[in-house]
mmCIF file of all heavy atoms in Angstrom:
data_model
loop_
_atom_site.group_PDB
_atom_site.id
_atom_site.type_symbol
_atom_site.label_atom_id
_atom_site.label_comp_id
_atom_site.label_asym_id
_atom_site.label_seq_id
_atom_site.Cartn_x
_atom_site.Cartn_y
_atom_site.Cartn_z
ATOM 1 N N ARG A 1 110.598 94.891 90.896
ATOM 2 C CA ARG A 1 111.271 96.154 90.268
ATOM 3 C C ARG A 1 112.511 95.732 89.411
ATOM 4 O O ARG A 1 112.723 96.179 88.405
ATOM 5 C CB ARG A 1 111.584 97.074 91.391
ATOM 6 C CG ARG A 1 110.482 97.701 91.986
ATOM 7 C CD ARG A 1 110.721 98.865 92.997
ATOM 8 N NE ARG A 1 111.301 98.395 94.125
ATOM 9 C CZ ARG A 1 110.401 97.987 95.149
ATOM 10 N NH1 ARG A 1 109.137 97.958 94.946
ATOM 11 N NH2 ARG A 1 110.994 97.560 96.200
ATOM 12 N N GLN A 2 113.170 94.637 89.926
ATOM 13 C CA GLN A 2 114.415 94.237 89.166
ATOM 14 C C GLN A 2 113.955 93.517 87.816
ATOM 15 O O GLN A 2 114.620 93.646 86.766
ATOM 16 C CB GLN A 2 115.211 93.195 89.941
ATOM 17 C CG GLN A 2 116.479 92.779 89.186
ATOM 18 C CD GLN A 2 117.494 93.766 88.774
ATOM 19 O OE1 GLN A 2 117.525 94.974 89.431
ATOM 20 N NE2 GLN A 2 118.248 93.598 87.809
ATOM 21 N N GLN A 3 112.854 92.744 87.974
ATOM 22 C CA GLN A 3 112.305 92.111 86.643
ATOM 23 C C GLN A 3 111.915 93.226 85.631
ATOM 24 O O GLN A 3 112.160 92.972 84.520
ATOM 25 C CB GLN A 3 111.164 91.293 87.117
ATOM 26 C CG GLN A 3 111.456 89.994 87.815
ATOM 27 C CD GLN A 3 110.077 89.308 88.406
ATOM 28 O OE1 GLN A 3 109.057 89.997 88.594
ATOM 29 N NE2 GLN A 3 110.217 88.063 88.595
ATOM 30 N N ALA A 4 111.339 94.244 86.103
ATOM 31 C CA ALA A 4 110.952 95.305 85.126
ATOM 32 C C ALA A 4 112.089 95.946 84.471
ATOM 33 O O ALA A 4 112.227 96.245 83.273
ATOM 34 C CB ALA A 4 110.085 96.414 85.903
ATOM 35 N N LYS A 5 113.220 96.193 85.274
ATOM 36 C CA LYS A 5 114.364 96.763 84.610
ATOM 37 C C LYS A 5 115.040 95.685 83.603
ATOM 38 O O LYS A 5 115.408 96.185 82.494
ATOM 39 C CB LYS A 5 115.436 97.050 85.762
ATOM 40 C CG LYS A 5 115.161 98.316 86.558
ATOM 41 C CD LYS A 5 116.127 98.556 87.579
ATOM 42 C CE LYS A 5 115.655 99.748 88.446
ATOM 43 N NZ LYS A 5 116.637 100.098 89.472
ATOM 44 N N LEU A 6 115.135 94.556 83.994
ATOM 45 C CA LEU A 6 115.660 93.464 83.040
ATOM 46 C C LEU A 6 114.807 93.344 81.781
ATOM 47 O O LEU A 6 115.324 93.286 80.674
ATOM 48 C CB LEU A 6 115.791 92.082 83.746
ATOM 49 C CG LEU A 6 116.775 92.063 84.795
ATOM 50 C CD1 LEU A 6 116.588 90.649 85.569
ATOM 51 C CD2 LEU A 6 118.170 92.195 84.168
ATOM 52 N N LEU A 7 113.495 93.500 81.904
ATOM 53 C CA LEU A 7 112.686 93.410 80.780
ATOM 54 C C LEU A 7 112.844 94.725 79.895
ATOM 55 O O LEU A 7 112.936 94.505 78.696
ATOM 56 C CB LEU A 7 111.130 93.302 81.138
ATOM 57 C CG LEU A 7 110.166 93.295 80.000
ATOM 58 C CD1 LEU A 7 110.382 92.134 79.022
ATOM 59 C CD2 LEU A 7 108.796 93.251 80.546
ATOM 60 N N ALA A 8 113.063 95.842 80.442
ATOM 61 C CA ALA A 8 113.251 97.063 79.716
ATOM 62 C C ALA A 8 114.613 96.845 78.962
ATOM 63 O O ALA A 8 114.566 97.302 77.779
ATOM 64 C CB ALA A 8 113.448 98.234 80.691
ATOM 65 N N GLU A 9 115.576 96.144 79.437
ATOM 66 C CA GLU A 9 116.851 95.862 78.685
ATOM 67 C C GLU A 9 116.497 95.091 77.453
ATOM 68 O O GLU A 9 116.991 95.290 76.304
ATOM 69 C CB GLU A 9 117.862 95.154 79.554
ATOM 70 C CG GLU A 9 118.486 95.998 80.577
ATOM 71 C CD GLU A 9 119.445 95.299 81.448
ATOM 72 O OE1 GLU A 9 120.001 94.196 80.991
ATOM 73 O OE2 GLU A 9 119.654 95.724 82.608
ATOM 74 N N ARG A 10 115.571 94.040 77.537
ATOM 75 C CA ARG A 10 115.233 93.220 76.438
ATOM 76 C C ARG A 10 114.323 94.037 75.331
ATOM 77 O O ARG A 10 114.430 93.699 74.211
ATOM 78 C CB ARG A 10 114.392 92.047 76.916
ATOM 79 C CG ARG A 10 115.277 91.059 77.725
ATOM 80 C CD ARG A 10 114.534 89.828 78.043
ATOM 81 N NE ARG A 10 114.168 89.010 76.885
ATOM 82 C CZ ARG A 10 113.493 88.051 76.732
ATOM 83 N NH1 ARG A 10 112.781 87.605 77.913
ATOM 84 N NH2 ARG A 10 113.244 87.375 75.688
ATOM 85 N N LEU A 11 113.697 94.971 75.917
ATOM 86 C CA LEU A 11 112.811 95.723 74.930
ATOM 87 C C LEU A 11 113.549 96.937 74.302
ATOM 88 O O LEU A 11 112.998 97.707 73.496
ATOM 89 C CB LEU A 11 111.560 96.244 75.601
ATOM 90 C CG LEU A 11 110.602 95.155 76.234
ATOM 91 C CD1 LEU A 11 109.562 95.833 77.100
ATOM 92 C CD2 LEU A 11 110.124 94.333 75.160
ATOM 93 N N ARG A 12 114.790 97.174 74.688
ATOM 94 C CA ARG A 12 115.446 98.409 74.372
ATOM 95 C C ARG A 12 115.404 98.727 72.852
ATOM 96 O O ARG A 12 115.405 99.818 72.520
ATOM 97 C CB ARG A 12 116.982 98.351 74.857
ATOM 98 C CG ARG A 12 117.600 99.740 74.746
ATOM 99 C CD ARG A 12 118.783 99.998 75.643
ATOM 100 N NE ARG A 12 118.515 99.666 77.047
ATOM 101 C CZ ARG A 12 117.925 100.440 78.025
ATOM 102 N NH1 ARG A 12 117.319 101.541 77.653
ATOM 103 N NH2 ARG A 12 117.930 100.109 79.346
ATOM 104 N N ASN A 13 115.433 97.819 71.928
ATOM 105 C CA ASN A 13 115.580 98.012 70.581
ATOM 106 C C ASN A 13 114.254 98.175 69.920
ATOM 107 O O ASN A 13 114.156 98.430 68.782
ATOM 108 C CB ASN A 13 116.325 96.867 69.880
ATOM 109 C CG ASN A 13 117.787 96.844 70.300
ATOM 110 O OD1 ASN A 13 118.459 97.984 70.490
ATOM 111 N ND2 ASN A 13 118.386 95.736 70.368
ATOM 112 N N GLY A 14 113.086 98.151 70.684
ATOM 113 C CA GLY A 14 111.813 98.310 70.053
ATOM 114 C C GLY A 14 111.446 99.791 69.755
ATOM 115 O O GLY A 14 112.029 100.753 70.246
ATOM 116 N N PRO A 15 110.526 99.893 68.866
ATOM 117 C CA PRO A 15 110.064 101.267 68.561
ATOM 118 C C PRO A 15 108.905 101.789 69.457
ATOM 119 O O PRO A 15 107.811 102.073 69.122
ATOM 120 C CB PRO A 15 109.549 101.071 67.064
ATOM 121 C CG PRO A 15 108.856 99.707 67.256
ATOM 122 C CD PRO A 15 109.780 98.908 67.970
ATOM 123 N N TRP A 16 109.180 101.829 70.825
ATOM 124 C CA TRP A 16 108.087 102.084 71.742
ATOM 125 C C TRP A 16 107.833 103.549 71.876
ATOM 126 O O TRP A 16 108.647 104.457 72.065
ATOM 127 C CB TRP A 16 108.486 101.568 73.108
ATOM 128 C CG TRP A 16 108.918 100.220 73.049
ATOM 129 C CD1 TRP A 16 110.244 99.655 73.236
ATOM 130 C CD2 TRP A 16 108.191 98.982 72.639
ATOM 131 N NE1 TRP A 16 110.215 98.296 73.031
ATOM 132 C CE2 TRP A 16 109.062 97.877 72.574
ATOM 133 C CE3 TRP A 16 106.838 98.857 72.372
ATOM 134 C CZ2 TRP A 16 108.512 96.478 72.409
ATOM 135 C CZ3 TRP A 16 106.384 97.547 71.849
ATOM 136 C CH2 TRP A 16 107.232 96.480 71.954
ATOM 137 N N GLU A 17 106.604 103.913 71.651
ATOM 138 C CA GLU A 17 106.227 105.367 71.696
ATOM 139 C C GLU A 17 105.408 105.650 72.957
ATOM 140 O O GLU A 17 105.438 106.804 73.459
ATOM 141 C CB GLU A 17 105.339 105.749 70.447
ATOM 142 C CG GLU A 17 106.130 105.700 69.221
ATOM 143 C CD GLU A 17 105.322 105.906 67.952
ATOM 144 O OE1 GLU A 17 104.101 106.420 68.203
ATOM 145 O OE2 GLU A 17 105.609 105.557 67.005
ATOM 146 N N SER A 18 104.673 104.712 73.407
ATOM 147 C CA SER A 18 103.871 104.934 74.710
ATOM 148 C C SER A 18 103.683 103.584 75.386
ATOM 149 O O SER A 18 103.861 102.464 74.820
ATOM 150 C CB SER A 18 102.493 105.594 74.268
ATOM 151 O OG SER A 18 101.828 104.910 73.514
ATOM 152 N N ILE A 19 103.205 103.711 76.608
ATOM 153 C CA ILE A 19 102.917 102.526 77.434
ATOM 154 C C ILE A 19 101.517 102.785 78.010
ATOM 155 O O ILE A 19 101.385 103.766 78.653
ATOM 156 C CB ILE A 19 103.949 102.338 78.553
ATOM 157 C CG1 ILE A 19 105.269 101.980 77.862
ATOM 158 C CG2 ILE A 19 103.483 101.194 79.490
ATOM 159 C CD1 ILE A 19 106.514 101.846 78.816
ATOM 160 N N VAL A 20 100.719 101.734 77.790
ATOM 161 C CA VAL A 20 99.391 101.774 78.552
ATOM 162 C C VAL A 20 99.441 100.761 79.679
ATOM 163 O O VAL A 20 99.810 99.678 79.641
ATOM 164 C CB VAL A 20 98.229 101.424 77.622
ATOM 165 C CG1 VAL A 20 96.858 101.406 78.278
ATOM 166 C CG2 VAL A 20 98.234 102.341 76.321
ATOM 167 N N THR A 21 99.014 101.268 80.863
ATOM 168 C CA THR A 21 99.093 100.459 82.109
ATOM 169 C C THR A 21 97.747 100.513 82.888
ATOM 170 O O THR A 21 96.903 101.525 82.872
ATOM 171 C CB THR A 21 100.180 100.865 82.998
ATOM 172 O OG1 THR A 21 100.176 99.964 84.150
ATOM 173 C CG2 THR A 21 100.108 102.391 83.446
ATOM 174 N N SER A 22 97.496 99.485 83.591
ATOM 175 C CA SER A 22 96.450 99.541 84.544
ATOM 176 C C SER A 22 96.733 100.560 85.695
ATOM 177 O O SER A 22 97.829 101.090 85.798
ATOM 178 C CB SER A 22 96.455 98.114 85.356
ATOM 179 O OG SER A 22 95.780 98.071 86.469
ATOM 180 N N THR A 23 95.761 100.910 86.357
ATOM 181 C CA THR A 23 95.906 101.870 87.513
ATOM 182 C C THR A 23 96.354 101.288 88.745
ATOM 183 O O THR A 23 96.708 101.914 89.757
ATOM 184 C CB THR A 23 94.505 102.646 87.714
ATOM 185 O OG1 THR A 23 93.533 101.580 88.064
ATOM 186 C CG2 THR A 23 94.138 103.399 86.555
ATOM 187 N N LEU A 24 96.429 99.917 88.832
ATOM 188 C CA LEU A 24 96.917 99.291 90.009
ATOM 189 C C LEU A 24 98.394 99.507 90.233
ATOM 190 O O LEU A 24 99.136 99.476 89.122
ATOM 191 C CB LEU A 24 96.619 97.805 89.933
ATOM 192 C CG LEU A 24 95.177 97.378 89.980
ATOM 193 C CD1 LEU A 24 94.900 95.941 89.743
ATOM 194 C CD2 LEU A 24 94.518 97.728 91.306
ATOM 195 N N THR A 25 98.751 99.648 91.411
ATOM 196 C CA THR A 25 100.330 99.974 91.706
ATOM 197 C C THR A 25 101.235 99.099 90.985
ATOM 198 O O THR A 25 102.309 99.495 90.477
ATOM 199 C CB THR A 25 100.403 100.053 93.243
ATOM 200 O OG1 THR A 25 99.480 101.018 93.691
ATOM 201 C CG2 THR A 25 101.874 100.443 93.549
ATOM 202 N N ARG A 26 100.915 97.751 91.253
ATOM 203 C CA ARG A 26 102.096 96.826 90.581
ATOM 204 C C ARG A 26 102.169 96.957 89.197
ATOM 205 O O ARG A 26 103.248 96.818 88.689
ATOM 206 C CB ARG A 26 101.575 95.356 90.996
ATOM 207 C CG ARG A 26 100.320 94.917 90.548
ATOM 208 C CD ARG A 26 99.894 93.593 91.114
ATOM 209 N NE ARG A 26 98.605 93.098 90.740
ATOM 210 C CZ ARG A 26 97.453 93.336 91.431
ATOM 211 N NH1 ARG A 26 97.614 94.135 92.566
ATOM 212 N NH2 ARG A 26 96.315 92.914 91.111
ATOM 213 N N ALA A 27 101.089 97.236 88.456
ATOM 214 C CA ALA A 27 101.170 97.412 86.971
ATOM 215 C C ALA A 27 101.824 98.742 86.649
ATOM 216 O O ALA A 27 102.620 98.828 85.799
ATOM 217 C CB ALA A 27 99.816 97.274 86.381
ATOM 218 N N ARG A 28 101.299 99.776 87.296
ATOM 219 C CA ARG A 28 101.818 101.140 87.066
ATOM 220 C C ARG A 28 103.345 101.142 87.425
ATOM 221 O O ARG A 28 104.057 101.917 86.632
ATOM 222 C CB ARG A 28 101.075 102.080 87.908
ATOM 223 C CG ARG A 28 101.276 103.611 87.505
ATOM 224 C CD ARG A 28 100.285 104.491 88.350
ATOM 225 N NE ARG A 28 100.822 104.586 89.707
ATOM 226 C CZ ARG A 28 100.153 104.077 90.835
ATOM 227 N NH1 ARG A 28 99.000 103.410 90.605
ATOM 228 N NH2 ARG A 28 100.605 104.153 92.028
ATOM 229 N N GLU A 29 103.811 100.573 88.594
ATOM 230 C CA GLU A 29 105.218 100.643 88.890
ATOM 231 C C GLU A 29 105.977 99.993 87.664
ATOM 232 O O GLU A 29 107.073 100.521 87.292
ATOM 233 C CB GLU A 29 105.518 99.885 90.143
ATOM 234 C CG GLU A 29 105.209 100.699 91.425
ATOM 235 C CD GLU A 29 105.700 99.829 92.533
ATOM 236 O OE1 GLU A 29 104.977 98.903 92.991
ATOM 237 O OE2 GLU A 29 106.880 100.137 93.070
ATOM 238 N N THR A 30 105.562 98.829 87.257
ATOM 239 C CA THR A 30 106.158 98.051 86.199
ATOM 240 C C THR A 30 106.361 98.944 84.997
ATOM 241 O O THR A 30 107.422 99.084 84.309
ATOM 242 C CB THR A 30 105.518 96.734 85.827
ATOM 243 O OG1 THR A 30 105.341 95.901 87.071
ATOM 244 C CG2 THR A 30 106.229 95.962 84.773
ATOM 245 N N ALA A 31 105.253 99.616 84.589
ATOM 246 C CA ALA A 31 105.181 100.485 83.293
ATOM 247 C C ALA A 31 106.136 101.646 83.509
ATOM 248 O O ALA A 31 106.805 102.031 82.585
ATOM 249 C CB ALA A 31 103.769 100.948 83.080
ATOM 250 N N GLU A 32 106.173 102.272 84.721
ATOM 251 C CA GLU A 32 106.867 103.482 84.954
ATOM 252 C C GLU A 32 108.436 103.085 84.920
ATOM 253 O O GLU A 32 109.318 103.907 84.488
ATOM 254 C CB GLU A 32 106.582 104.214 86.263
ATOM 255 C CG GLU A 32 105.219 104.746 86.203
ATOM 256 C CD GLU A 32 104.632 105.291 87.451
ATOM 257 O OE1 GLU A 32 105.245 104.933 88.567
ATOM 258 O OE2 GLU A 32 103.689 105.872 87.578
ATOM 259 N N ILE A 33 108.784 101.991 85.443
ATOM 260 C CA ILE A 33 110.236 101.490 85.406
ATOM 261 C C ILE A 33 110.613 101.355 83.999
ATOM 262 O O ILE A 33 111.717 101.746 83.550
ATOM 263 C CB ILE A 33 110.450 100.281 86.267
ATOM 264 C CG1 ILE A 33 110.363 100.589 87.770
ATOM 265 C CG2 ILE A 33 111.812 99.650 85.974
ATOM 266 C CD1 ILE A 33 110.233 99.483 88.706
#
C-alpha cells in the first residue's frame, strides 16, 4: 500500500484520466490507491 502511494507521487504530473485494473484484489487495491 505504501508502494502504491509512493508511485502515485511520481505519477502526479501525468495527464491521467482513467485507470484500468485487473479484478484481483492486489491489483485493484493498487489502482484504487
Side-chain angles (χ1 to χ4, degrees):
R1 287 187 285 281
Q2 182 63 24
Q3 289 171 334
K5 287 181 182 181
L6 290 171
L7 180 58
E9 288 178 24
R10 292 186 65 190
L11 297 174
R12 192 157 310 278
N13 294 324
W16 311 112
E17 296 177 15
S18 61
I19 296 175
V20 179
T21 180
S22 161
T23 58
L24 292 173
T25 301
R26 59 189 175 268
R28 196 177 67 249
E29 277 187 283
T30 302
E32 289 170 351
I33 291 167

